[in-house]
Coordinates of all heavy atoms in Angstrom, one line a residue:
R31 N -18.1 -14.3 -2.4 CA -17.6 -15.2 -1.4 C -16.2 -15.7 -1.8 O -15.8 -15.3 -2.9 CB -18.6 -16.4 -1.2 CG -18.8 -17.2 -2.5 CD -19.9 -18.3 -2.3 NE -20.2 -18.9 -3.5 CZ -19.5 -19.9 -4.1 NH1 -18.4 -20.3 -3.6 NH2 -19.9 -20.4 -5.3
A34 N -12.6 -13.9 -4.0 CA -12.9 -12.5 -4.4 C -13.3 -11.7 -3.2 O -12.9 -10.5 -3.0 CB -14.1 -12.6 -5.4
A93 N -24.9 -16.1 -12.0 CA -23.9 -17.2 -12.0 C -22.7 -16.8 -11.2 O -22.5 -15.6 -11.0 CB -23.5 -17.5 -13.4
S94 N -22.0 -17.7 -10.6 CA -20.9 -17.4 -9.8 C -19.7 -18.3 -10.0 O -19.9 -19.5 -10.2 CB -21.3 -17.5 -8.3 OG -20.3 -17.2 -7.5
D95 N -18.5 -17.8 -10.1 CA -17.4 -18.6 -10.3 C -16.9 -19.2 -9.0 O -17.5 -18.9 -7.9 CB -16.2 -17.9 -11.0 CG -15.6 -16.8 -10.1 OD1 -15.9 -16.8 -8.9 OD2 -14.8 -16.1 -10.6
S96 N -15.9 -20.0 -9.0 CA -15.5 -20.7 -7.8 C -14.9 -19.8 -6.8 O -14.7 -20.1 -5.6 CB -14.5 -21.8 -8.1 OG -13.4 -21.3 -8.7
S97 N -14.5 -18.6 -7.2 CA -14.0 -17.6 -6.3 C -15.0 -16.7 -5.6 O -14.7 -15.9 -4.8 CB -12.9 -16.7 -7.0 OG -13.6 -15.9 -7.9
G98 N -16.3 -16.9 -6.0 CA -17.3 -16.2 -5.4 C -17.6 -14.9 -6.0 O -18.3 -14.0 -5.4
A99 N -17.2 -14.6 -7.3 CA -17.5 -13.3 -7.9 C -18.9 -13.4 -8.6 O -19.1 -14.2 -9.5 CB -16.5 -13.0 -8.9
P100 N -19.9 -12.6 -8.2 CA -21.2 -12.7 -8.8 C -21.2 -12.3 -10.2 O -20.5 -11.4 -10.6 CB -22.1 -11.8 -7.9 CG -21.1 -10.8 -7.4 CD -19.8 -11.5 -7.2
G101 N -21.9 -13.0 -11.0 CA -22.0 -12.7 -12.4 C -20.8 -13.1 -13.2 O -20.6 -12.8 -14.3
A102 N -19.9 -13.9 -12.6 CA -18.7 -14.3 -13.2 C -19.0 -15.5 -14.1 O -19.9 -16.3 -13.9 CB -17.6 -14.7 -12.2
R103 N -18.1 -15.8 -15.1 CA -18.3 -16.9 -16.0 C -17.0 -17.7 -16.0 O -15.9 -17.2 -16.3 CB -18.5 -16.4 -17.4 CG -18.7 -17.5 -18.4 CD -19.2 -16.9 -19.7 NE -18.3 -15.9 -20.3 CZ -17.4 -16.2 -21.2 NH1 -17.1 -17.4 -21.5 NH2 -16.6 -15.2 -21.6
R104 N -17.1 -19.0 -15.6 CA -16.0 -19.9 -15.6 C -15.7 -20.3 -17.0 O -16.6 -20.9 -17.7 CB -16.2 -21.1 -14.8 CG -16.1 -20.9 -13.3 CD -14.6 -20.7 -12.9 NE -13.7 -21.6 -13.4 CZ -13.5 -22.8 -12.8 NH1 -14.0 -23.1 -11.6 NH2 -12.6 -23.7 -13.3
R230 N -7.3 -14.3 -11.6 CA -8.1 -13.8 -12.7 C -7.4 -14.1 -14.1 O -8.1 -14.3 -15.1 CB -8.2 -12.2 -12.6 CG -8.8 -11.7 -11.3 CD -10.1 -12.3 -10.9 NE -9.9 -13.3 -9.9 CZ -10.8 -14.1 -9.3 NH1 -12.1 -13.9 -9.7 NH2 -10.5 -15.0 -8.4
T234 N -8.3 -20.9 -11.3 CA -8.1 -21.3 -9.9 C -7.2 -22.5 -9.7 O -7.3 -23.2 -8.7 CB -9.5 -21.6 -9.3 OG1 -10.1 -22.6 -10.2 CG2 -10.4 -20.4 -9.3
S281 N -10.8 -9.3 -15.3 CA -12.1 -10.1 -15.4 C -13.1 -9.4 -16.2 O -13.8 -10.0 -17.0 CB -12.6 -10.3 -13.9 OG -11.7 -11.2 -13.2
I288 N -10.9 -16.2 -15.8 CA -12.2 -15.9 -15.1 C -12.7 -14.6 -15.6 O -12.1 -13.6 -15.5 CB -12.0 -15.9 -13.6 CG1 -11.6 -17.3 -13.1 CG2 -13.3 -15.5 -12.9 CD1 -11.3 -17.3 -11.6
G289 N -13.9 -14.6 -16.2 CA -14.5 -13.4 -16.7 C -15.7 -12.9 -15.8 O -16.3 -13.7 -15.2
L290 N -15.9 -11.6 -15.8 CA -17.0 -11.0 -15.1 C -17.9 -10.3 -16.1 O -17.5 -9.7 -17.1 CB -16.5 -10.1 -14.1 CG -16.2 -10.6 -12.7 CD1 -15.6 -9.5 -11.8 CD2 -17.5 -11.1 -12.0

Side-chain angles (χ1 to χ4, degrees):
R31 56 184 174 82
S94 181
D95 72 8
S96 59
S97 67
R103 180 168 60 92
R104 281 294 306 275
R230 302 311 98 177
T234 57
S281 292
I288 297 177
L290 271 175

